[in-house]
Structures are given as structure tokens and as C-alpha cells.
Amino acid sequence: MFSGSIPALVTPFRNGAFDEKLFRGFVDWQIAEGSSALVPCGTTGESATMSIEEHNHVVRVCIEQAKGRVPVIAGCGSNDTAVALEHMKAAQTAGADAALVVLPYYNRPNQDGLIAHFRHLADNCSLPIIVYNVPARTVTDILPETLGKLAGIKTIVGVKDASGKVERVSAQRLHCGPDFCQLSGNDDMALGFMAMGGVGCISVTANVAPGLCAQFQKACADGRWADALALQDRLFPLHAALFSDASPGPVKYALTRTYRDFPADLRLPMTWPSEASRSAVDAALAHAGIA
């Protein structure tokens, strides 16, 4: 259902408010550069700093601007099952193709709680769900066996795996089946992830280098592993630099250098990246031939 290079879109803020005009242009650019789907209001989009109304508005704008040219996977996660469901229903009404739903953070549910959370969402909204596993942020980790149980629910169609454990791809193929959509959530591990059976990446780097990330994913899909490795070598310093300080600070800094008039605003508690991080981004952009 979903594959290729899928940017986890940043949300541009200007003077504290959503810069809708720039965001619409950014969506157009991403599509023109070869991104195969879009994710508004994920972690990189600073969704944790948005009101429910603003969150849903950004999702609607992305869907409107995409105009069906690529699928839109709306960020819909929350540590509150009721709020996650509210986001899903709003995204479905707006025309989203799927919901990206992070494991409930802070609450730290056990595996039974994770099953109950996702089953409740699936029972009450027919929008396809991609489970987002990012233990570094949620403290909770969904085990392959648990994901396999969820894969039996018709509308739970895939996983964004940011566990940092590339061997999970094989384990999840065994428990969920080879047709379950596995998307990498780590740019730096995407090459190994794809070789083991992944079909794409929900990417931070694609915000800055959408064309190169799309080429990398196409090379993997085609089995052109030498070409994919060359692109990995070109992009790896950027993958690392974009996480050299708290994300999305470094990626927003990179965009102020590469995308015309991109605003530098971050919402508290996020702050501008350190000088060392900015220097790392500068060097990585030069290495990739972007700036």
C-alpha cells in the first residue's frame, strides 16, 4: 500500500503561527522531487506542540495540497486513546489515506494494553493504521509477536519501525506475513532495513534531500544495491547530522540553508540547534552536494 521515500514533514512556523502558504509550496516541492507519500504531524512536524484543532488543520492542508498525487499518512497518535481516535476520524473526514499511530507514550502500557489500544482504534474508525514503534521516545516497545496479533486486524496494515533493531524486519515478516508493510523509521539504517524486506522509509532526511532519498529508495526497490550503497555513502553524514541535536532543530536549520525563505521558528520546549550541530549539518550538506 505504501512504499518508497516518505518524508515526515516539518511544520513551518512563522512568528509562532503555522505558515500555511510556505507549507503548501513545500508539499508541491516534495511531490515534484519524487516523494511517494507524505506524513504531516508526525514527531518531526512538532505535533506534540499543537492543539488538536491546529493539528487537524495542518493535516487538512497537506491533503488539500497533495490533491491525490501521492498518499497522505496523517500523524494521529496520542497517549490518550480517545484523542488518537479523534485525530483519526478528523483525518479520515479530510481524506487521508492512512493514520500513523505512535505507541502510547508516558503511560507505558504493557503488550495487552497496546493490543487493546489499537483494537479500539480499528473498531471505531476504518482508516488504515500504520503502527509507529519508537521506543526511544515512548519508552514502550511493541514486540514482533504482539504486532503479529495486530496484523490480523484488517485495517492495521503496516509498521514504521524506529526500534533501531534492524533484525526486527525478519522477525516481523515471520509474525505478520511478507505482505505487511514495513517502513523504516531510521534513515541511517534504511539500507539494511530494505535488504531484509522493508518497502520504504518514513524519513527525516527527505525533508532536505527528497530527490536523493527517492533515488535511494528506487535503487533498493530495483535491487540495484551498488547504486543504493553509493547513495547511502553520500547521505549518511546528513542522516547523522540531522540528529546531532534534538530533532527537528537540525532539519529546520538545514532547510533555512536549502529552501528559500524557510522560517527558523521552533516551538518550546524545542530550541535552535547548537553551533556544533549546525556545523555538522553544514558539512553534511556539502558532502551530499546539496549546499
Side-chain angles (χ1 to χ4, degrees):
M1 183 178 292
F2 306 104
S3 63
S5 178
I6 305 171
L9 297 172
V10 296
T11 306
F13 299 117
R14 195 180 301 274
N15 299 320
F18 171 48
D19 189 337
E20 181 175 326
K21 181 178 179 181
L22 188 136
F23 184 68
R24 288 181 180 274
F26 190 66
V27 166
D28 287 340
W29 179 62
Q30 286 288 335
I31 295 171
E33 287 288 302
S35 298
S36 56
L38 303 171
V39 176
C41 293
T43 305
T44 311
E46 296 175 83
S47 58
T49 68
M50 296 181 190
S51 69
I52 290 176
E53 294 76 18
E54 185 179 36
H55 179 126
N56 293 340
H57 175 65
V58 172
V59 168
R60 284 195 303 271
V61 169
C62 184
I63 293 165
E64 288 174 7
Q65 196 63 29
K67 299 182 176 71
R69 290 174 289 173
V70 298
V72 174
I73 305 166
C76 292
S78 174
N79 67 322
D80 180 346
T81 305
V83 172
L85 182 59
E86 184 176 346
H87 282 311
M88 283 183 61
K89 289 180 175 179
Q92 185 174 45
T93 298
D97 296 278
L100 180 66
V101 181
V102 72
L103 304 190
Y105 42 88
Y106 189 77
N107 307 57
R108 298 181 66 186
N110 60 21
Q111 299 298 298
D112 288 341
L114 294 177
I115 291 172
H117 174 78
F118 283 100
R119 181 171 287 139
H120 181 84
L121 297 178
D123 285 347
N124 289 279
C125 183
S126 60
L127 189 65
I129 294 171
I130 295 176
V131 175
Y132 178 17
N133 189 25
V134 56
R137 288 186 179 273
T138 65
V139 190
T140 302
D141 183 13
I142 188 166
L143 300 178
E145 299 90 332
T146 306
L147 192 62
K149 294 176 182 177
L150 292 177
I153 299 172
K154 182 178 180 181
T155 56
I156 298 182
V157 300
V159 63
K160 174 186 176 182
D161 191 318
S163 67
K165 300 176 180 179
V166 72
E167 69 275 12
R168 283 281 178 91
V169 184
S170 292
Q172 287 162 177
R173 282 173 65 84
L174 289 173
H175 286 283
C176 303
D179 296 330
F180 193 70
C181 177
Q182 294 201 60
L183 302 168
S184 175
N186 297 100
D187 281 295
D188 56 351
M189 298 181 181
L191 180 58
F193 194 97
M194 295 294 289
M196 294 182 74
V199 296
C201 181
I202 296 181
S203 168
V204 174
T205 304
N207 280 282
V208 182
L212 290 175
C213 289
Q215 290 173 40
F216 168 79
Q217 285 293 329
K218 184 65 163 58
C220 291
D222 292 346
R224 292 183 286 107
W225 298 110
D227 292 341
L229 181 58
L231 286 162
Q232 168 81 351
D233 289 344
R234 183 175 174 183
L235 286 167
F236 185 80
L238 188 57
H239 297 332
L242 294 182
F243 286 90
S244 58
D245 207 334
S247 182
V251 68
K252 281 198 162 181
Y253 168 70
L255 284 165
T256 66
R257 299 237 11 245
T258 59
Y259 191 89
R260 183 178 178 182
D261 196 35
F262 198 91
D265 291 26
L266 289 156
R267 283 189 172 170
L268 291 173
M270 307 312 296
T271 57
W272 201 234
S274 67
E275 182 178 352
S277 176
R278 299 196 305 272
S279 294
V281 170
D282 291 341
L285 290 172
H287 181 86
I290 298 171

